[in-house]
Every structure is written in C-alpha cells, then in structure tokens.
Amino acid sequence: MNTQFMATIAGEDRPDLLKLLAGKTHALEGRWLDSKISRLEGQIAGIIKIDIPNENLSALKADFNSIPNFHVSTSDVKLVTITECAQLNLKIEANDRPGIISDIAHFLDSKGVAIEHMENHRFGVIGLGTTVFIAELSLMVPVDMGTEFLVEELERLSSDLRVEVEEIA
C-alpha cells in the first residue's frame, strides 16, 4: 500500500539537487505527483507531493535529510473540501510600504481566495525618490465572486494601489 506526503525543502542550491532528490525518490519506488520549486540568490525552496510505498517512507525521509546544507520537513496529505473556483491572474502595483503583502494576503484570505502563486519585487525609482511594489499573483477565486468586485476591493486597500487582470495563457 502507498502513502502520500508533502516534502517542504529549502537550502543551498546546486546543479544536481533536483536530480538527486528525484533519484532518491525513484530508487525507493516513489514518484512526485506535484511540485513547485523556486530558486533565488543561490538558494532553493519548494514543496513536493510524493506517493511512495509505506515501507519506504522512513528511508526516503532519512535520505532527504542526509543532504548537507539542506532542510526538509514533511507532513501528511490531508483531504480538504474544495469550493468550486476559477483561476485569475493579477498584477498589483503600488508605492511600497510596510505590511503591503500582509494586507493583500489578509484581504484575499478573508474572501476565500487562495493564492496559488505569488511573485513580488520592489524597485527603487530614483527620479521619484520612492520604491514601487509589484506583485504577480495566480489566484483561485470562488466562482460566485465577480472579478470586478475583487479588483475594486483590492484597490481600496490603498489609494495608490492598481490592479490589472492578466490573460490566462
């Protein structure tokens, strides 16, 4: 019988790291069902959903944890109730300020919107003497929530915040 778990990974990146993790999984008859991996400034972080025979679970966790300068935490996969949702991609721009990400995440959570992916950056604008915040988000929005409503409510978080709906490719 097989079991599924989530492996959250973080540590120093190196060229063969994902190949090493996938090889360890395959050697123990496991397989990656889903994964999201990001690299930034010589570091790697991600989450991997793994399916593996019960008898090999402990060995795989030990193999993952034996990698130097690398941290792995695991958790069981739990069944969740899923609301019918539609994907929505947004680009948010605003003057940077402390707490802007927290405000956006808090608002979306309060409306039952799940953040599937978020990438944000801050850029200094020398001519204006300010820093601009830009975020690109992929959201799962309950189907009964209108896009226009969501955009208007997000823009109310700050007078300078602009939201642009991006086409889903």
Side-chain angles (χ1 to χ4, degrees):
M1 184 169 192
N2 280 14
T3 189
Q4 294 180 359
F5 73 99
M6 302 300 283
T8 304
I9 62 169
E12 289 182 21
D13 194 11
R14 60 183 206 226
D16 66 338
L17 185 59
L18 292 179
K19 181 175 92 174
L20 177 67
L21 294 170
K24 288 179 181 288
T25 305
H26 179 72
L28 292 168
E29 302 174 43
R31 59 191 178 122
W32 291 13
L33 300 177
D34 200 4
S35 64
K36 295 190 183 209
I37 309 291
S38 293
R39 291 179 158 99
L40 181 67
E41 306 267 341
Q43 298 291 309
I44 188 168
I47 187 165
I48 308 165
K49 182 177 182 183
I50 299 173
D51 181 79
I52 191 164
N54 289 342
E55 63 271 14
N56 296 341
L57 179 60
S58 295
L60 182 62
K61 289 179 179 181
D63 281 354
F64 277 13
N65 283 309
S66 71
I67 299 169
N69 301 314
F70 196 67
H71 175 74
V72 178
S73 64
T74 61
S75 59
D76 295 332
V77 172
K78 295 185 175 39
L79 296 176
V80 294
T81 304
I82 299 176
T83 305
E84 190 176 347
C85 293
Q87 184 177 354
L88 179 65
N89 293 336
L90 298 179
K91 182 175 184 179
I92 297 175
E93 296 180 8
N95 289 328
D96 190 26
R97 61 176 172 75
I100 191 166
I101 294 173
S102 176
D103 291 348
I104 292 167
H106 201 85
F107 167 77
L108 293 171
D109 184 62
S110 75
K111 300 299 181 197
V113 176
I115 301 172
E116 291 288 306
H117 178 80
M118 180 171 82
E119 191 169 320
N120 65 277
H121 305 280
R122 289 169 165 83
F123 300 99
V125 181
I126 296 170
L128 299 176
T130 189
T131 304
V132 176
F133 169 83
I134 297 175
E136 294 177 355
L137 297 97
S138 178
L139 307 173
M140 294 305 289
V141 180
V143 293
D144 59 351
M145 181 180 298
T147 300
E148 190 173 307
F149 166 79
L150 184 65
V151 169
E152 287 175 3
E153 291 298 306
L154 273 168
E155 288 179 337
R156 289 180 195 210
L157 291 175
S158 179
S159 62
D160 65 318
L161 192 139
R162 290 174 295 160
V163 178
E164 179 181 318
V165 177
E166 296 186 335
E167 294 295 319
I168 298 175

